[in-house]
Amino acid sequence: MPIPGHIDPVPVPRDVPVRADGRIDLIGLTRDQLRETLAGAGLDAKQAKLRAKQLWHWIYNRGATEFAAMTDIAKTMHPWLAERFVIGRPGVVEAQQSTDGTRKWLLKSDDGHDYEMVFIPDADRGTLCVSSQVGCTLTCSFCHTGTMRLVRNLTAGEIVGQVMLARDALSEWPSQPEGRLLTNIVMMGMGEPLYNFDNVRDALKLVMDGDGLALSKRRITLSTSGIVPMMERAGVEIGVNLAVSLHGVTKDVRDELVPINKKYGIEALLEACAAYPGANNARRITFEYVMLKDKNDSDDDARELVRLLRKYKLPAKVNLIPFNPWPGAPYLCSDPDRIRRFSNIVFEGGISAPVRTPRGRDIDAACGQLKTSAEKKKRADRDREAAALAAVAVD
Ligand code: SAH
Ligand code: SF4
């Protein structure tokens, strides 16, 4: 189904993906798909059901990546499984650690696409920022990811694979309910999650499955730039916390910052928020607001923000994000005093408005800085080529 939007999302086949070596990666398959895949490979219905259950537990609860480790599956069956299937992980091109403890991984898909994930440790939680697409078809003017040319949807396996890889890196297998380092997930990496709805939903269902990774939906947040027609489905079919990238309170400013606003305007967006299933005072919607100097940071903007959120009676909190710069960005971050004043006005309007501390800026891991170094290299190559051409022209 084409999702209505500014630019249609990249379609992906929903069949079980087969790797170049002919084997099937079991990561990312729904429980039913796993059973059907085993039946398709020749197991009878009863065996397929039993083995699917065992495999599920080993994969998502124990973090196994080798069939040989699966002690309750007959040894004679291990080679049969290994010939046909793999339990994959995203390829790691580079892993970096910031001075503040934030970790960023540059990942590579089997077909050579780069994407990124970021882990942000805090005193009381550890948050994994997960990507939903390689690049993004939307072109928000302050976001580095929006300048990437290459876009493809990540599969459910590549999305849940990020969580599996983080668990590997943190040595958090088997899955335990208590004492985890990885406690929260935010769909705030590269891409617009609601333009890759089916894969994001399937991946998050795997993440929430009580027998597997077992993260509560209350600890998962999906951030959208405001794909209005998909928001209700997100609430009904996924049911996680919602964050909305608002960033502007007038049509002109939001049209510039978040161009999808030309298609789904502020009023329609806030109506969809008011109707979001599951939002209430205990589970408020987060409105993200990037602080851009002299663009959206005036006292009037703050007052208009309060008026709008009140008008729609939204159970809301506002997250003020200091703008994270990137090379060639057309904006500056608002001054700290301005951000404080803006926060106070919203707070006095009865809405909490904390300022998000930027994390991992030194390794380009902060919000909106994600753009793979492979892509950067390509850009650098292009710049060099352009310089060489210019030099020739001058000669
Ligand atoms: N596409 C989704 C989710 C990914 S972006 C969305 O737009 O909501 C995650 C958050 O980072 C969004 O609120 C986005 O607006 C914000 N962001 C993007 N670029 C930024 C930058 N340079 N500085 C600060 N925040 C940024
Ligand atoms: Fe895409 Fe979100 Fe960046 Fe906009 S802010 S370009 S929707 S990733």
Side-chain angles (χ1 to χ4, degrees):
M1 179 199 73
I3 299 167
H6 171 59
I7 302 163
D8 271 340
V10 189
V12 282
R14 296 289 306 136
D15 328 327
V16 172
V18 179
R19 293 158 29 111
D21 65 7
R23 294 187 292 174
I24 292 171
D25 191 343
L26 298 182
I27 299 283
L29 302 189
T30 62
R31 279 173 187 272
D32 285 348
Q33 279 176 327
L34 182 57
R35 191 175 32 76
E36 285 157 15
T37 302
L38 293 173
L43 297 189
D44 66 36
K46 205 171 145 220
Q47 273 282 318
K49 194 173 166 203
L50 170 71
R51 298 304 177 201
K53 194 165 184 271
Q54 291 170 317
L55 282 164
W56 181 275
H57 180 79
W58 281 107
I59 294 173
Y60 292 110
N61 186 280
R62 307 288 290 270
T65 52
E66 302 290 339
F67 298 106
M70 302 179 178
T71 44
D72 56 356
I73 298 181
K75 265 205 183 118
T76 47
M77 202 176 179
H78 294 164
W80 185 89
L81 287 166
E83 270 164 35
R84 289 164 181 78
F85 309 113
V86 292
I87 304 166
R89 291 288 189 267
V92 177
V93 179
E94 195 182 5
Q96 287 173 278
Q97 182 145 2
S98 157
T99 46
D100 69 15
T102 302
R103 298 166 73 174
K104 181 173 89 165
W105 287 263
L106 173 61
L107 307 173
K108 199 181 259 319
S109 66
D110 281 340
D111 60 348
H113 289 296
D114 292 328
Y115 53 105
E116 292 177 328
M117 69 171 194
V118 177
F119 179 69
I120 307 144
D122 273 307
D124 58 340
R125 66 176 66 188
T127 306
L128 187 70
C129 180
V130 171
S131 291
S132 56
Q133 298 182 307
V134 175
C136 186
T137 52
L138 300 176
T139 49
C140 302
S141 53
F142 56 91
C143 172
H144 207 191
T145 306
T147 67
M148 277 178 75
R149 291 182 311 162
L150 200 63
V151 180
R152 112 147 148 67
N153 281 343
L154 292 175
T155 63
E158 288 163 341
I159 297 168
V160 72
Q162 296 171 58
V163 183
M164 312 282 288
L165 191 70
R167 280 267 172 93
D168 292 349
L170 299 167
S171 303
E172 298 218 292
W173 300 111
S175 286
Q176 292 159 4
E178 300 295 329
R180 291 173 180 163
L181 293 172
L182 200 179
T183 58
N184 291 56
I185 290 185
V186 292
M187 295 302 301
M188 293 188 187
M190 291 174 153
E192 168 49 57
L194 295 189
Y195 268 176
N196 186 12
F197 185 83
D198 289 358
N199 290 327
V200 167
R201 175 200 55 210
D202 289 354
L204 290 181
K205 288 228 177 290
L206 291 171
V207 170
M208 292 186 276
D209 192 293
D211 297 336
L213 294 163
L215 260 120
S216 148
K217 66 178 181 180
R218 284 163 211 285
R219 291 188 169 271
I220 302 174
T221 301
L222 184 149
S223 174
T224 180
S225 57
I227 312 302
V228 167
M230 300 306 294
M231 285 169 55
E232 189 185 352
R233 273 188 75 193
V236 172
E237 295 180 37
I238 312 177
V240 296
N241 301 320
L242 184 70
V244 172
S245 294
L246 192 60
H247 305 314
V249 289
T250 62
K251 176 166 169 49
D252 282 355
V253 171
R254 194 161 191 268
D255 276 356
E256 173 188 329
L257 299 178
V258 188
I260 194 72
N261 192 64
K262 293 178 196 154
K263 180 144 189 137
Y264 309 117
I266 295 175
E267 308 274 323
L269 176 58
L270 296 180
E271 272 167 29
C273 290
Y276 185 72
N280 54 45
N281 276 331
R283 286 185 79 197
R284 288 174 294 171
I285 296 174
T286 304
F287 288 89
E288 295 159 286
Y289 198 96
V290 64
M291 297 302 297
L292 302 171
K293 190 178 172 82
D294 299 331
K295 178 51 71 178
N296 64 357
D297 63 352
S298 69
D299 288 0
D300 281 350
D301 289 321
R303 283 190 281 267
E304 178 61 4
L305 179 57
V306 171
R307 189 190 70 80
L308 282 171
L309 297 180
R310 281 201 173 158
K311 177 176 167 196
Y312 288 90
K313 299 194 173 52
L314 288 165
K317 57 186 169 196
V318 172
N319 226 323
L320 299 175
I321 316 175
F323 171 63
N324 290 309
W326 39 273
Y331 304 105
L332 294 173
C333 183
S334 310
D335 296 331
D337 282 351
R338 183 94 292 274
I339 299 181
R340 225 166 290 137
R341 167 102 185 115
F342 193 101
S343 168
N344 286 342
I345 294 174
V346 180
F347 188 74
E348 281 155 18
I351 299 163
S352 112
V355 181
R356 193 189 284 175
T357 318
R359 298 289 302 266
R361 270 186 177 178
D362 55 337
I363 55 167
D364 283 351
C367 295
Q369 291 186 312
L370 298 187
K371 172 162 173 169
T372 61
S373 28
E375 175 87 3
K376 278 181 219 154
K377 229 171 271 158
K378 265 183 244 145
R379 163 76 55 95
D381 284 347
R382 280 206 301 278
D383 290 349
R384 255 194 306 280
E385 280 160 24
L389 278 175
V392 171
V394 172
D395 288 349

